[in-house]
Amino acid sequence: MQAPSVLKSRRGRGRLRLAAAAAVSAAVLLLSACSGSSGTGGNESPSANQVLKFGFSGEPPKPTTIGGTASTTSYELYGLMHRGVMMYSGDGNVVPALAQTAKQTGPTSYSFTLRSGLKFQDGSPLTAKNVKSCLLHYADPANSARSYAGMKYIKSIDVTGDRNFTVNLSSPNSSFLEFLADPSAFMVPDSELKQGSQANTGAGPYKLTNWKNGVGLTLKKWDGYYGAKDVKLQQIDVSFYLDATARVNALQSGDVDFIDYVPWESFDQLKGAGYTVNGSIGVFQSALFNVTRAPFDNPLVRQAVAYSINRDNATKAAFFGNGTPLFGVPESGSAGEKLWSYDPAKAKSLLKQAGYNDGGPTVQLLSNSTFTFLQDVATSLQADLEAVGFKVRMTSPDWNTSTAQALKGNYDVTVVGNIGNVTDPAAWLPVFVQPPAASNKSFGYNNKKLNAALDAALGATDKATKQQKLEQAYAIIKKDAPFAPINQRMQAYAYNANVAGFDVMKGFTQPYSINNLTSVYMTDK
């Protein structure tokens, strides 16, 4: 698959961003409920055995409504077990989910009517009052919800009866319904909104019936789901494969039918063997910094990193060319705003300006051994940093340990994968550069001027003001370098000929493609 073309002019990029935001705003004026995704299927007859064997790229954390960081496997599990007020449909558009209708009734107000007869998987009713509890929970910064960047604009929620509620925002937010469609903004009973509670009681198409730590889990079709009549798979048996080679081998041996996170070196191998490899470019990799201590408390040193990175090498090393270099703020489906370049001489000059006249400082680079592609990106970064004078010590513990260390700031520089969870950069960038703390943002970073520019861009009611404030934000990012972008990657699923009806969403919505399993069915090929 070819990477989407990149618009060359800044003005053109601005039109792209604003057009996308305007399309979302227009669509939400009145949305009718959609019961399933629009995945493309073949003409094959369904098999009598509608059980999908799914190889996950690791064991997801137990579902929770506390915490701002989620992995791909988390989103996969959320998309199967849970539902929110809105969701991403098969083509990546925002549509009602638990809501029957959604209507923007003013610049800062949205009115919703829930579907009738909604229940949770434990049989308890799902009402507007429960939705209010969940949304206010996600809007509380103490809960570090991933959707907080959008939910923080909630000023109040008015409930009328069991099905109707109105959300009032503190200021305009053109991406609000997209935040509601984030798979982590799911609804659960009030009892599962507490610290330490697992969020296992969903309202989605599949019910969790078994979880064997380190091995796998079982999900069975839940007939109480509002779109159950369109769900064809009766059961999904999930196996955990942290090792990418083992995951590919499991697909080829028939132990599983479907895998996520296809290793890039296996794309051609699997295609040649007759398997479908289906993916899109959207997720991006960046270097993050601990800005609470030297040397990365100095923006000149952070800039030096941004100019030192050979992004082509990193893309080849980690993704076998199945990606694109990234020199600034990405957009969904394109390389977005270019802020830096590959310029080792400038990196060395910046280090001298920062007071390092005899080479660069000694730094601790944190990677992880679970996702080898991130380790490969980190290894490439290590070589680039050392080439301009840094002295680098790299550590690569497993994913859970690495995440825990990142949350504590036990690093100088680290490499992570991330994604813009909505279309508008003014809406998703706060997830990456503002509190609350998370492992997918630089430790301790908070720039009030950048926050103000992004807030003004998000709240702008006219295109010219939005673009002006975005340009101000990009100028601050270029100078302050809260992160150093590296590349965007092709991320794909692979499956055998027995799987029909699956589509991958494009751009930033790619990780939400698991929603399309509601259209998948097994054949007897």
Side-chain angles (χ1 to χ4, degrees):
M1 179 181 295
Q2 293 285 330
S5 61
V6 179
L7 297 179
K8 295 183 179 179
S9 71
R10 176 172 293 185
R11 183 176 299 173
R13 287 191 294 266
R15 284 197 297 267
L16 178 64
R17 286 191 292 266
L18 296 170
V24 172
S25 296
V28 305
L29 290 178
L30 183 58
L31 294 168
S32 297
C34 173
S35 61
S37 64
S38 59
T40 57
N43 298 317
E44 304 87 353
S45 299
S47 168
N49 181 26
Q50 289 299 311
V51 177
L52 177 72
K53 296 176 291 183
F54 190 161
F56 269 29
S57 55
E59 182 169 5
K62 295 298 192 292
T64 179
T65 61
I66 306 289
T69 301
S71 64
T72 292
T73 53
S74 294
Y75 286 129
E76 290 170 345
L77 189 59
Y78 296 164
L80 295 170
M81 289 177 57
H82 292 290
R83 279 296 177 266
V85 176
M86 310 295 291
M87 67 177 289
Y88 287 101
S89 67
D91 54 7
N93 289 322
V94 176
V95 299
L98 297 175
Q100 180 173 325
T101 60
K103 184 177 181 181
Q104 185 171 1
T105 53
T108 59
S109 61
Y110 295 80
S111 294
F112 303 87
T113 298
L114 294 177
R115 298 171 186 268
S116 61
L118 288 175
K119 294 183 181 297
F120 287 111
Q121 291 169 352
D122 63 358
S124 61
L126 194 167
T127 67
K129 184 178 179 181
N130 176 256
V131 172
K132 177 179 179 178
S133 297
C134 291
L135 294 183
L136 292 180
H137 173 86
Y138 295 134
D140 185 346
N143 296 321
S144 300
R146 173 175 166 84
S147 57
Y148 171 74
M151 300 305 163
K152 70 179 182 179
Y153 290 89
I154 296 177
K155 182 179 180 181
S156 62
I157 300 177
D158 302 321
V159 173
T160 307
D162 287 341
R163 296 178 58 200
N164 299 298
F165 64 98
T166 298
V167 178
N168 305 299
L169 306 183
S170 58
S171 62
N173 185 331
S174 58
S175 297
F176 181 63
L177 290 191
E178 290 183 87
F179 279 105
L180 289 181
D182 187 305
S184 64
F186 54 77
M187 301 297 112
V188 291
D190 289 10
S191 60
E192 295 185 1
L193 296 174
K194 301 175 183 177
Q195 184 76 39
S197 296
Q198 288 189 22
N200 289 334
T201 309
Y206 295 95
K207 184 176 182 178
L208 179 66
T209 60
N210 181 59
W211 189 316
K212 189 173 182 180
N213 291 335
V215 178
L217 56 86
T218 303
L219 297 157
K220 292 189 176 181
K221 179 181 175 180
W222 181 54
D223 290 334
Y225 173 57
Y226 63 80
K229 66 181 179 62
D230 297 320
V231 177
K232 301 173 180 64
L233 294 174
Q234 296 295 312
Q235 183 169 313
I236 300 176
D237 293 332
V238 174
S239 299
F240 306 142
Y241 296 94
L242 274 73
D243 181 78
T245 301
R247 197 159 62 252
V248 170
N249 289 341
L251 177 64
Q252 293 186 301
S253 68
D255 289 342
V256 297
D257 307 297
F258 188 102
I259 62 173
D260 67 4
Y261 256 117
V262 182
W264 295 266
E265 62 271 27
S266 299
F267 277 25
D268 291 340
Q269 168 196 346
L270 289 173
K271 290 177 184 177
Y275 295 91
T276 298
V277 178
N278 198 349
S280 65
I281 291 177
V283 182
F284 59 92
Q285 287 65 235
S286 299
L288 305 181
F289 310 104
N290 183 340
V291 304
T292 66
R293 66 191 189 195
F296 293 116
D297 57 347
N298 188 336
L300 292 175
V301 183
R302 301 196 295 266
Q303 284 186 49
V305 174
Y307 284 106
S308 72
I309 302 172
N310 188 326
R311 293 161 174 85
D312 285 319
N313 280 355
T315 304
K316 292 173 183 175
F319 308 120
F320 292 77
N322 294 294
T324 57
L326 185 61
F327 295 91
V329 178
E331 293 174 1
S332 185
S334 81
E337 194 82 3
K338 182 174 180 178
L339 301 178
W340 299 282
S341 61
Y342 175 47
D343 192 340
K346 185 164 186 174
K348 293 177 182 179
S349 176
L350 286 164
L351 286 175
K352 287 185 178 180
Q353 291 179 50
Y356 296 97
N357 296 315
D358 298 319
T362 298
V363 297
Q364 177 193 352
L365 171 58
L366 175 64
S367 181
N368 79 89
S369 58
T370 302
F371 295 106
T372 54
F373 65 90
L374 287 179
Q375 185 170 268
D376 290 341
V377 173
T379 300
S380 183
L381 175 64
Q382 179 180 12
D384 294 336
L385 294 179
E386 290 176 342
V388 299
F390 285 94
K391 303 169 187 66
V392 183
R393 299 192 303 263
M394 188 170 82
T395 58
S396 296
D398 64 83
W399 173 252
N400 290 334
T401 301
S402 176
T403 300
Q405 290 186 10
L407 285 169
K408 295 176 182 178
N410 291 337
Y411 67 91
D412 292 312
V413 58
T414 186
V415 170
V416 301
N418 212 326
I419 195 159
N421 53 339
V422 295
T423 304
D424 188 347
W428 72 259
L429 270 170
V431 177
F432 202 38
V433 299
Q434 291 181 12
S439 62
N440 63 340
K441 61 187 68 177
S442 288
F443 185 78
Y445 184 80
N446 188 20
N447 185 316
K448 293 182 179 179
K449 290 184 178 179
L450 176 57
N451 297 347
L454 291 171
D455 287 346
L458 185 60
T461 56
D462 65 275
K463 295 180 180 180
T465 301
K466 176 182 278 289
Q467 184 62 22
Q468 178 188 28
K469 295 302 179 181
L470 273 176
E471 297 296 344
Q472 289 180 10
Y474 290 144
I476 295 169
I477 290 172
K478 181 175 182 178
K479 184 176 180 180
D480 211 35
F483 57 91
I486 301 174
N487 48 25
Q488 288 180 284
R489 69 179 188 254
M490 172 76 73
Q491 192 160 307
Y493 302 88
Y495 40 95
N496 62 31
N498 293 328
V499 177
F502 183 72
D503 268 346
V504 171
M505 299 182 195
K506 308 305 178 187
F508 284 170
T509 59
Q510 190 276 341
Y512 311 146
S513 299
I514 214 66
N515 290 353
N516 290 344
L517 279 187
T518 56
S519 294
V520 166
Y521 59 95
M522 305 301 294
T523 72
D524 287 321
K525 275 193 174 181

